[in-house]
Amino acid sequence: MNVIDLETRFQEKIDSDIRIEPRDWMPDNYRHTLIRQIGQHAHSEIVGMLPEGNWITRAPSLKRKVALLAKVQDEAGHGLYLYSAAETLGGDRDHMFEELHSGKAKYSSIFNYPTLTWADMGAIGWLVDGAAIQNQIPLCRCSYGPYARAMIRVCKEESFHQRQGFEIMTVLCAGTPIQKAMAQDALNRFWWPSLMMFGPPDAESTHTAQSKKWGIKRFTNDELRQRFVDMIAPQADHLGITIPDPDLKWNEETKQYDFGEIDWTEFWQVVKGHGPCNKDRIAARTKAWEEGAWVREAALAYAEKQQIHSTTKSKAV
Ligand code: BYC
């Protein structure tokens, strides 16, 4: 079969909602697009542990500490599933780490903002995990099997995280005036960066059209961003805090919220490595990688020893 026939058959499978599995034929660019997106997603989970990890020792009670610790551990787990999913496509894990540490690989812009108060843990759970769910639920129907299956468990855990964040915000908003002000301040700082998580506007998105054709993305960046605004606006009303956007208002005709212009210059600055915490995040990951070298060496030595042991045993049988 020639490449054109293979591509036609591949697209027919996608159009009939038949999953693509690791051993199936796929166009090179489909493979590269997935390795890129899954790799960036994995890095986002791993770097995403840092702003929250910053608060584990300062969580206000044992209960809060345990819950935050579990959330950060879940994120490590998501990163590991995702690196494994990228490996099923031929992605090389060490190479992906090298790209992260050299600043070449992207990860979500949101994690380059600092977490200044405990209320930021509420805002991240509520908004950042809320945005992650909007973006990732459609990925459970992604055309590539291992990515779609990984997303099912990730989404279950993310929705638990979002509830946890909303509960922190609920307690703060029902607390003292100072606590409520902290919640408002966290919303003020995380609102616009959360909207940026969905990526550039559709008109400027380089990959959306092809990724939709291939069933990797089911919705555009702007469609998902709009759903997020529509979900969060009533929740902010319920909490009694104000979204920092004077243009945000319900539109009776479209049955959606209209909202203000996003600062795309800020977005691209952060994506290109010039956000408030980019350098700290990369430095923290590089340090962890270097300090973990002995663990990787020990695990490798153990695996090699086990392999020699099982080969000798099977020869004896
Ligand atoms: N930040 O053509 P576009 C999480 C890049 S983790 C940085 O629209 P695409 C969580 C984009 O990569 C959240 N870069 O791209 C973890 C592309 O650059 P390249 C992460 C961004 O791929 C812990 C260029 O801009 N979620 O949820 O079609 C705790 C053009 O964009 C960003 C995922 O990764 C950004 N915000 O769409 C809590 C989900 N946006 O590669 C929560 C999976 C865009 O050409 N990923 N760029 O150099 C996706 O769904 C898609 O990759 C995106 C972007 C919607 C993010």
Short mmCIF file of all heavy atoms in Angstrom, two decimals, residues 36-37 40-41 44-45 48-49 52 71 75 106-111 124 128-129 132 135-136 139 147 158 196-200 204-208 211 217 221 267-268 271, ligand 1:
data_model
loop_
_atom_site.label_atom_id
_atom_site.label_comp_id
_atom_site.label_asym_id
_atom_site.label_seq_id
_atom_site.Cartn_x
_atom_site.Cartn_y
_atom_site.Cartn_z
N ARG A 36 4.72 16.12 20.89
CA ARG A 36 4.85 17.53 21.33
C ARG A 36 3.80 17.85 22.39
O ARG A 36 4.12 18.30 23.49
CB ARG A 36 4.68 18.46 20.11
CG ARG A 36 4.67 19.94 20.43
CD ARG A 36 4.28 20.78 19.22
NE ARG A 36 2.91 20.54 18.76
CZ ARG A 36 1.83 21.05 19.33
NH1 ARG A 36 1.92 21.84 20.38
NH2 ARG A 36 0.62 20.76 18.86
N GLN A 37 2.54 17.56 22.06
CA GLN A 37 1.46 17.95 22.99
C GLN A 37 1.53 17.15 24.29
O GLN A 37 1.41 17.71 25.39
CB GLN A 37 0.09 17.77 22.32
CG GLN A 37 -1.04 18.10 23.28
CD GLN A 37 -2.40 18.20 22.64
OE1 GLN A 37 -2.54 18.67 21.51
NE2 GLN A 37 -3.43 17.78 23.36
N GLN A 40 4.50 18.29 26.38
CA GLN A 40 4.24 19.59 27.04
C GLN A 40 3.27 19.39 28.20
O GLN A 40 3.40 20.01 29.25
CB GLN A 40 3.65 20.58 26.03
CG GLN A 40 4.64 21.06 25.00
CD GLN A 40 4.00 21.96 23.94
OE1 GLN A 40 2.80 22.22 23.96
NE2 GLN A 40 4.80 22.43 23.00
N HIS A 41 2.31 18.52 27.97
CA HIS A 41 1.31 18.27 29.02
C HIS A 41 2.00 17.62 30.23
O HIS A 41 1.77 18.01 31.38
CB HIS A 41 0.22 17.36 28.42
CG HIS A 41 -1.01 17.25 29.24
ND1 HIS A 41 -2.17 16.70 28.76
CD2 HIS A 41 -1.26 17.59 30.53
CE1 HIS A 41 -3.08 16.72 29.72
NE2 HIS A 41 -2.55 17.26 30.80
N SER A 44 3.95 20.08 32.10
CA SER A 44 3.07 20.99 32.86
C SER A 44 2.68 20.37 34.19
O SER A 44 2.61 21.05 35.22
CB SER A 44 1.78 21.30 32.08
OG SER A 44 2.10 21.83 30.82
N GLU A 45 2.41 19.08 34.18
CA GLU A 45 2.05 18.41 35.43
C GLU A 45 3.22 18.45 36.41
O GLU A 45 3.04 18.71 37.60
CB GLU A 45 1.65 16.95 35.17
CG GLU A 45 0.43 16.77 34.28
CD GLU A 45 -0.89 17.02 35.02
OE1 GLU A 45 -0.87 17.25 36.24
OE2 GLU A 45 -1.95 17.02 34.35
N GLY A 48 3.96 21.93 37.40
CA GLY A 48 2.79 22.36 38.17
C GLY A 48 2.83 21.95 39.63
O GLY A 48 2.09 22.48 40.46
N MET A 49 3.71 21.00 39.95
CA MET A 49 3.84 20.60 41.36
C MET A 49 4.55 21.69 42.17
O MET A 49 4.41 21.75 43.40
CB MET A 49 4.67 19.32 41.47
CG MET A 49 4.02 18.11 40.84
SD MET A 49 5.21 16.78 40.57
CE MET A 49 5.48 16.23 42.24
N GLU A 52 2.47 24.69 44.07
CA GLU A 52 1.69 24.16 45.20
C GLU A 52 2.60 23.53 46.25
O GLU A 52 2.35 23.65 47.45
CB GLU A 52 0.67 23.15 44.69
CG GLU A 52 -0.43 23.82 43.92
CD GLU A 52 -1.35 22.83 43.28
OE1 GLU A 52 -0.90 22.02 42.44
OE2 GLU A 52 -2.54 22.84 43.61
N LYS A 71 -2.68 16.01 46.48
CA LYS A 71 -2.91 16.63 45.17
C LYS A 71 -1.61 16.71 44.38
O LYS A 71 -1.55 16.36 43.20
CB LYS A 71 -3.51 18.03 45.37
CG LYS A 71 -3.80 18.77 44.06
CD LYS A 71 -4.40 20.15 44.35
CE LYS A 71 -4.99 20.81 43.11
NZ LYS A 71 -4.02 21.33 42.18
N GLU A 75 -0.40 14.88 40.82
CA GLU A 75 0.16 15.55 39.64
C GLU A 75 1.43 14.84 39.16
O GLU A 75 1.66 14.69 37.95
CB GLU A 75 0.42 17.03 39.93
CG GLU A 75 -0.88 17.83 39.82
CD GLU A 75 -0.99 19.00 40.77
OE1 GLU A 75 0.04 19.40 41.35
OE2 GLU A 75 -2.11 19.49 40.96
N LYS A 106 8.11 23.51 25.97
CA LYS A 106 7.11 24.38 26.60
C LYS A 106 6.40 23.61 27.71
O LYS A 106 6.34 22.39 27.70
CB LYS A 106 6.10 24.83 25.56
CG LYS A 106 6.68 25.79 24.53
CD LYS A 106 5.55 26.45 23.74
CE LYS A 106 6.06 27.58 22.88
NZ LYS A 106 6.78 27.13 21.69
N TYR A 107 5.82 24.36 28.63
CA TYR A 107 4.87 23.81 29.61
C TYR A 107 3.90 24.94 29.88
O TYR A 107 4.15 26.09 29.51
CB TYR A 107 5.60 23.33 30.88
CG TYR A 107 6.42 24.39 31.57
CD1 TYR A 107 5.83 25.26 32.49
CD2 TYR A 107 7.76 24.55 31.28
CE1 TYR A 107 6.57 26.26 33.09
CE2 TYR A 107 8.51 25.55 31.88
CZ TYR A 107 7.91 26.40 32.79
OH TYR A 107 8.65 27.40 33.38
N SER A 108 2.78 24.60 30.57
CA SER A 108 1.72 25.59 30.66
C SER A 108 2.18 26.90 31.31
O SER A 108 2.80 26.90 32.38
CB SER A 108 0.53 25.02 31.43
OG SER A 108 -0.52 25.97 31.40
N SER A 109 1.83 27.99 30.64
CA SER A 109 2.18 29.35 31.08
C SER A 109 1.76 29.62 32.53
O SER A 109 2.44 30.33 33.27
CB SER A 109 1.51 30.37 30.15
OG SER A 109 0.14 30.03 29.97
N ILE A 110 0.67 29.01 32.95
CA ILE A 110 0.10 29.32 34.27
C ILE A 110 1.08 29.07 35.41
O ILE A 110 1.04 29.73 36.43
CB ILE A 110 -1.20 28.51 34.51
CG1 ILE A 110 -1.95 28.96 35.76
CG2 ILE A 110 -0.95 27.01 34.61
CD1 ILE A 110 -2.70 30.21 35.61
N PHE A 111 1.98 28.11 35.23
CA PHE A 111 2.86 27.73 36.34
C PHE A 111 4.07 28.65 36.49
O PHE A 111 4.95 28.40 37.30
CB PHE A 111 3.24 26.25 36.23
CG PHE A 111 2.03 25.37 36.22
CD1 PHE A 111 1.71 24.59 35.14
CD2 PHE A 111 1.16 25.40 37.31
CE1 PHE A 111 0.55 23.82 35.13
CE2 PHE A 111 0.00 24.64 37.31
CZ PHE A 111 -0.31 23.85 36.22
N ILE A 124 -5.94 28.12 42.65
CA ILE A 124 -5.37 27.18 41.67
C ILE A 124 -6.29 25.97 41.50
O ILE A 124 -6.60 25.56 40.39
CB ILE A 124 -3.93 26.76 42.07
CG1 ILE A 124 -2.99 27.94 41.86
CG2 ILE A 124 -3.46 25.54 41.27
CD1 ILE A 124 -1.52 27.63 42.10
N VAL A 128 -7.39 26.78 38.01
CA VAL A 128 -6.42 26.09 37.14
C VAL A 128 -6.87 24.65 36.89
O VAL A 128 -6.88 24.18 35.75
CB VAL A 128 -5.00 26.17 37.75
CG1 VAL A 128 -4.01 25.38 36.93
CG2 VAL A 128 -4.57 27.63 37.90
N ASP A 129 -7.30 23.97 37.95
CA ASP A 129 -7.82 22.61 37.71
C ASP A 129 -9.14 22.68 36.96
O ASP A 129 -9.45 21.79 36.16
CB ASP A 129 -7.94 21.84 39.03
CG ASP A 129 -6.58 21.44 39.55
OD1 ASP A 129 -5.93 22.25 40.25
OD2 ASP A 129 -6.12 20.33 39.24
N ALA A 132 -8.17 23.03 33.50
CA ALA A 132 -7.60 21.75 33.05
C ALA A 132 -8.72 20.77 32.70
O ALA A 132 -8.64 20.07 31.69
CB ALA A 132 -6.70 21.18 34.14
N ASN A 135 -10.36 21.53 29.40
CA ASN A 135 -9.46 21.21 28.29
C ASN A 135 -9.30 19.69 28.14
O ASN A 135 -9.16 19.17 27.03
CB ASN A 135 -8.13 21.91 28.58
CG ASN A 135 -7.03 21.47 27.66
OD1 ASN A 135 -6.29 20.56 27.99
ND2 ASN A 135 -6.93 22.10 26.50
N GLN A 136 -9.31 18.97 29.27
CA GLN A 136 -8.90 17.57 29.21
C GLN A 136 -10.05 16.58 29.07
O GLN A 136 -9.84 15.47 28.60
CB GLN A 136 -8.05 17.23 30.44
CG GLN A 136 -6.69 17.92 30.34
CD GLN A 136 -5.87 17.84 31.61
OE1 GLN A 136 -6.05 16.96 32.44
NE2 GLN A 136 -4.96 18.78 31.78
N LEU A 139 -10.19 15.49 25.74
CA LEU A 139 -9.03 14.66 25.39
C LEU A 139 -9.26 13.18 25.74
O LEU A 139 -8.56 12.31 25.25
CB LEU A 139 -7.76 15.16 26.08
CG LEU A 139 -7.20 16.50 25.57
CD1 LEU A 139 -6.03 16.96 26.44
CD2 LEU A 139 -6.77 16.39 24.12
N TYR A 147 -3.24 8.03 25.06
CA TYR A 147 -3.43 9.38 25.62
C TYR A 147 -4.87 9.50 26.16
O TYR A 147 -5.10 9.96 27.28
CB TYR A 147 -3.17 10.41 24.53
CG TYR A 147 -3.07 11.87 24.97
CD1 TYR A 147 -2.68 12.23 26.25
CD2 TYR A 147 -3.34 12.89 24.06
CE1 TYR A 147 -2.56 13.58 26.62
CE2 TYR A 147 -3.22 14.24 24.40
CZ TYR A 147 -2.84 14.57 25.69
OH TYR A 147 -2.73 15.90 26.04
N GLU A 158 -8.51 15.33 38.60
CA GLU A 158 -8.57 16.80 38.46
C GLU A 158 -9.90 17.33 39.00
O GLU A 158 -9.96 18.42 39.57
CB GLU A 158 -8.42 17.27 37.01
CG GLU A 158 -7.13 16.89 36.30
CD GLU A 158 -5.90 17.64 36.72
OE1 GLU A 158 -5.82 18.07 37.88
OE2 GLU A 158 -4.99 17.77 35.88
N MET A 196 -5.51 32.29 29.84
CA MET A 196 -4.42 32.08 28.87
C MET A 196 -4.05 30.61 28.74
O MET A 196 -3.43 30.21 27.76
CB MET A 196 -3.18 32.88 29.29
CG MET A 196 -3.38 34.38 29.23
SD MET A 196 -1.93 35.23 29.92
CE MET A 196 -2.58 36.89 30.11
N MET A 197 -4.41 29.80 29.74
CA MET A 197 -4.07 28.37 29.69
C MET A 197 -4.60 27.69 28.42
O MET A 197 -4.05 26.69 27.98
CB MET A 197 -4.68 27.63 30.89
CG MET A 197 -3.96 27.82 32.19
SD MET A 197 -4.81 26.95 33.52
CE MET A 197 -4.44 25.24 33.16
N PHE A 198 -5.72 28.22 27.89
CA PHE A 198 -6.34 27.56 26.73
C PHE A 198 -5.58 27.79 25.44
O PHE A 198 -5.96 27.26 24.40
CB PHE A 198 -7.80 28.01 26.60
CG PHE A 198 -8.63 27.56 27.77
CD1 PHE A 198 -8.79 28.37 28.90
CD2 PHE A 198 -9.21 26.31 27.77
CE1 PHE A 198 -9.52 27.93 29.99
CE2 PHE A 198 -9.94 25.87 28.86
CZ PHE A 198 -10.09 26.68 29.97
N GLY A 199 -4.53 28.62 25.51
CA GLY A 199 -3.73 28.84 24.32
C GLY A 199 -4.15 30.09 23.56
O GLY A 199 -5.13 30.75 23.92
N PRO A 200 -3.42 30.43 22.49
CA PRO A 200 -3.68 31.66 21.75
C PRO A 200 -5.08 31.65 21.12
O PRO A 200 -5.69 30.57 20.99
CB PRO A 200 -2.60 31.64 20.65
CG PRO A 200 -2.18 30.22 20.53
CD PRO A 200 -2.36 29.61 21.88
N GLU A 204 -4.82 32.71 15.80
CA GLU A 204 -3.35 32.64 15.88
C GLU A 204 -2.84 31.26 16.26
O GLU A 204 -1.64 31.08 16.45
CB GLU A 204 -2.85 33.65 16.93
CG GLU A 204 -2.98 35.08 16.49
CD GLU A 204 -2.74 36.04 17.64
OE1 GLU A 204 -1.95 35.71 18.54
OE2 GLU A 204 -3.37 37.11 17.62
N SER A 205 -3.74 30.31 16.40
CA SER A 205 -3.31 28.97 16.83
C SER A 205 -2.75 28.19 15.65
O SER A 205 -3.43 27.99 14.64
CB SER A 205 -4.51 28.23 17.43
OG SER A 205 -4.22 26.86 17.54
N THR A 206 -1.50 27.76 15.77
CA THR A 206 -0.85 27.09 14.62
C THR A 206 -1.34 25.66 14.43
O THR A 206 -1.37 25.17 13.32
CB THR A 206 0.69 27.05 14.81
OG1 THR A 206 1.00 27.02 16.19
CG2 THR A 206 1.38 28.20 14.16
N HIS A 207 -1.70 25.00 15.53
CA HIS A 207 -1.95 23.55 15.41
C HIS A 207 -3.42 23.14 15.41
O HIS A 207 -3.73 22.01 15.08
CB HIS A 207 -1.26 22.83 16.58
CG HIS A 207 0.20 23.10 16.68
ND1 HIS A 207 1.10 22.65 15.75
CD2 HIS A 207 0.93 23.80 17.58
CE1 HIS A 207 2.33 23.04 16.08
NE2 HIS A 207 2.25 23.75 17.19
N THR A 208 -4.32 24.05 15.82
CA THR A 208 -5.70 23.61 16.07
C THR A 208 -6.36 22.93 14.86
O THR A 208 -6.94 21.85 14.99
CB THR A 208 -6.57 24.77 16.56
OG1 THR A 208 -6.04 25.21 17.81
CG2 THR A 208 -8.02 24.35 16.79
N SER A 211 -4.97 19.49 14.25
CA SER A 211 -5.24 18.62 15.40
C SER A 211 -6.72 18.24 15.48
O SER A 211 -7.06 17.14 15.90
CB SER A 211 -4.79 19.28 16.71
OG SER A 211 -3.39 19.30 16.76
N LYS A 217 -7.56 17.23 19.05
CA LYS A 217 -8.37 18.24 19.73
C LYS A 217 -9.81 18.12 19.23
O LYS A 217 -10.01 17.95 18.02
CB LYS A 217 -7.83 19.65 19.42
CG LYS A 217 -6.54 19.98 20.15
CD LYS A 217 -5.91 21.26 19.65
CE LYS A 217 -6.35 22.47 20.40
NZ LYS A 217 -5.41 23.62 20.18
N ASN A 221 -9.35 26.40 20.95
CA ASN A 221 -8.94 27.08 22.19
C ASN A 221 -10.03 28.07 22.65
O ASN A 221 -10.35 28.12 23.84
CB ASN A 221 -7.63 27.86 21.94
CG ASN A 221 -6.48 26.95 21.51
OD1 ASN A 221 -6.60 25.73 21.55
ND2 ASN A 221 -5.36 27.54 21.12
N PHE A 267 0.96 36.94 27.57
CA PHE A 267 0.97 35.48 27.34
C PHE A 267 2.25 35.05 26.61
O PHE A 267 2.97 34.15 27.05
CB PHE A 267 -0.28 35.09 26.53
CG PHE A 267 -0.26 33.67 26.01
CD1 PHE A 267 -0.49 32.61 26.87
CD2 PHE A 267 -0.01 33.40 24.66
CE1 PHE A 267 -0.46 31.29 26.39
CE2 PHE A 267 0.02 32.09 24.19
CZ PHE A 267 -0.21 31.04 25.05
N TRP A 268 2.57 35.72 25.50
CA TRP A 268 3.72 35.29 24.70
C TRP A 268 5.03 35.54 25.45
O TRP A 268 5.98 34.77 25.32
CB TRP A 268 3.73 35.95 23.32
CG TRP A 268 2.65 35.37 22.44
CD1 TRP A 268 1.56 36.02 21.93
CD2 TRP A 268 2.52 34.00 21.99
NE1 TRP A 268 0.77 35.15 21.20
CE2 TRP A 268 1.34 33.91 21.22
CE3 TRP A 268 3.29 32.83 22.18
CZ2 TRP A 268 0.91 32.71 20.63
CZ3 TRP A 268 2.86 31.64 21.59
CH2 TRP A 268 1.69 31.59 20.83
N VAL A 271 5.26 32.58 27.73
CA VAL A 271 5.55 31.36 26.97
C VAL A 271 7.02 31.35 26.52
O VAL A 271 7.67 30.32 26.50
CB VAL A 271 4.60 31.22 25.76
CG1 VAL A 271 5.04 30.10 24.83
CG2 VAL A 271 3.17 31.00 26.23
N1 BYC B 1 1.30 27.73 27.81
O1 BYC B 1 -1.38 26.11 18.14
P1 BYC B 1 -1.61 26.16 19.59
C1 BYC B 1 -2.71 20.96 34.20
C2 BYC B 1 1.87 26.97 22.77
S1 BYC B 1 -1.50 21.05 33.12
C3 BYC B 1 2.43 27.50 27.12
O2 BYC B 1 -2.97 26.55 20.04
P2 BYC B 1 -2.02 23.44 20.56
C4 BYC B 1 -2.47 20.99 35.63
C5 BYC B 1 1.65 25.66 22.03
O3 BYC B 1 2.29 24.60 22.68
C6 BYC B 1 -2.10 22.15 31.87
N2 BYC B 1 2.43 27.28 25.76
O4 BYC B 1 -1.18 24.75 20.26
C7 BYC B 1 -1.28 20.52 36.14
C8 BYC B 1 2.23 25.98 20.68
O5 BYC B 1 3.65 25.97 20.75
P3 BYC B 1 4.57 24.93 19.87
C9 BYC B 1 -1.54 21.75 30.56
C10 BYC B 1 1.25 27.30 25.14
O6 BYC B 1 -1.08 22.41 21.04
C11 BYC B 1 -1.04 20.59 37.51
C12 BYC B 1 1.86 27.45 20.49
O7 BYC B 1 1.64 27.97 21.79
N3 BYC B 1 -2.55 21.10 29.76
O8 BYC B 1 -3.73 20.91 33.70
O9 BYC B 1 -2.92 23.11 19.44
C13 BYC B 1 -2.00 21.14 38.35
C14 BYC B 1 0.63 27.64 19.64
O10 BYC B 1 -0.56 27.14 20.30
C15 BYC B 1 0.05 27.50 25.83
C16 BYC B 1 -2.22 20.52 28.64
O11 BYC B 1 -1.08 20.50 28.24
C17 BYC B 1 0.10 27.73 27.22
N4 BYC B 1 -1.00 27.98 27.94
O12 BYC B 1 -2.98 23.90 21.78
C18 BYC B 1 -3.20 21.58 37.82
C19 BYC B 1 -3.37 19.87 27.88
N5 BYC B 1 -0.97 27.46 24.93
O13 BYC B 1 4.34 23.58 20.45
C20 BYC B 1 -3.44 21.51 36.47
C21 BYC B 1 -2.97 19.32 26.55
C22 BYC B 1 -0.41 27.23 23.74
O14 BYC B 1 4.12 25.04 18.45
N6 BYC B 1 -2.61 20.35 25.60
N7 BYC B 1 0.92 27.15 23.86
O15 BYC B 1 5.98 25.38 20.09
C23 BYC B 1 -3.49 20.99 24.84
O16 BYC B 1 -4.69 20.81 24.92
C24 BYC B 1 -2.96 21.93 23.79
O17 BYC B 1 -1.59 21.63 23.61
C25 BYC B 1 -3.11 23.44 24.16
C26 BYC B 1 -2.45 24.26 23.04
C27 BYC B 1 -4.59 23.81 24.21
C28 BYC B 1 -2.44 23.78 25.48
#
